[in-house]
Amino acid sequence: MDKTLLEQLKQKLLEEKVLLEKDLSSFAKKDPNMKGDWDTVFPQMGEAQSGSHSSLDESADEVEEYENLTAKEFTLETRLAEVNRALERINKDGFGLCQKCGKEISKERLYANPAAEFDIECS
Ligand SMILES: [Zn+2]
């Protein structure tokens, strides 16, 4: 693969990694025991009003908020894992090859998504 393109794609991946980690760390904590795993922190909102008549509604909101964040965490974590795998492939020289059939993935496809793991036929 063209070195300049590879550098560009690597840069894109590194930038995306930083953004994903920043986004994740705004509401989740890195699990120190499991590499690449993040845990959503239960939201601490509404604490000051606990005991008031609205506290039941607030806990329902908190649970809903927590579920939304957990879903978001899953999406971001999955994408981050893809980005990390792509960066590993760059370091090991296997970058840009379909992980199923081993053919080269088209430049256009990689440019649109540098973390792509399969060519069009296999995806
Ligand atoms: Zn393939």
Side-chain angles (χ1 to χ4, degrees):
M1 179 182 286
D2 176 22
K3 262 232 147 80
T4 321
L5 178 68
L6 189 65
E7 252 335 287
Q8 271 179 352
L9 295 176
K10 186 179 175 180
Q11 213 48 49
K12 276 177 76 144
L13 285 164
L14 288 171
E15 277 165 23
E16 189 173 351
K17 182 184 158 100
V18 169
L19 286 177
L20 286 166
E21 286 188 334
K22 197 172 154 203
D23 213 355
L24 271 167
S25 61
S26 69
F27 66 89
K29 277 194 162 58
K30 235 179 194 167
D31 188 331
N33 301 314
M34 213 192 286
K35 190 174 174 271
D37 192 44
W38 291 70
D39 296 316
T40 301
V41 179
F42 199 86
Q44 296 293 303
M45 53 189 199
E47 251 183 348
Q49 287 96 6
S50 66
S52 77
H53 66 280
S54 63
S55 67
L56 263 180
D57 283 348
E58 276 173 10
S59 354
D61 281 352
E62 282 174 13
V63 170
E64 202 190 322
E65 169 79 358
Y66 182 70
E67 281 169 359
N68 289 342
L69 287 176
T70 309
K72 191 179 166 191
E73 184 215 313
F74 180 75
T75 309
L76 292 172
E77 198 181 279
T78 306
R79 180 66 190 164
L80 183 61
E82 277 172 15
V83 167
N84 280 329
R85 284 199 298 271
L87 285 165
E88 273 173 32
R89 288 199 298 280
I90 289 182
N91 291 333
K92 284 191 233 150
D93 273 353
F95 183 74
L97 301 177
C98 173
Q99 299 299 293
K100 198 164 165 190
C101 69
K103 282 187 207 150
E104 275 187 29
I105 302 171
S106 74
K107 279 181 190 169
E108 292 73 28
R109 190 172 167 80
L110 283 174
Y111 207 79
N113 174 19
E117 300 188 329
F118 305 106
D119 57 6
I120 293 169
E121 287 85 57
C122 298
S123 65

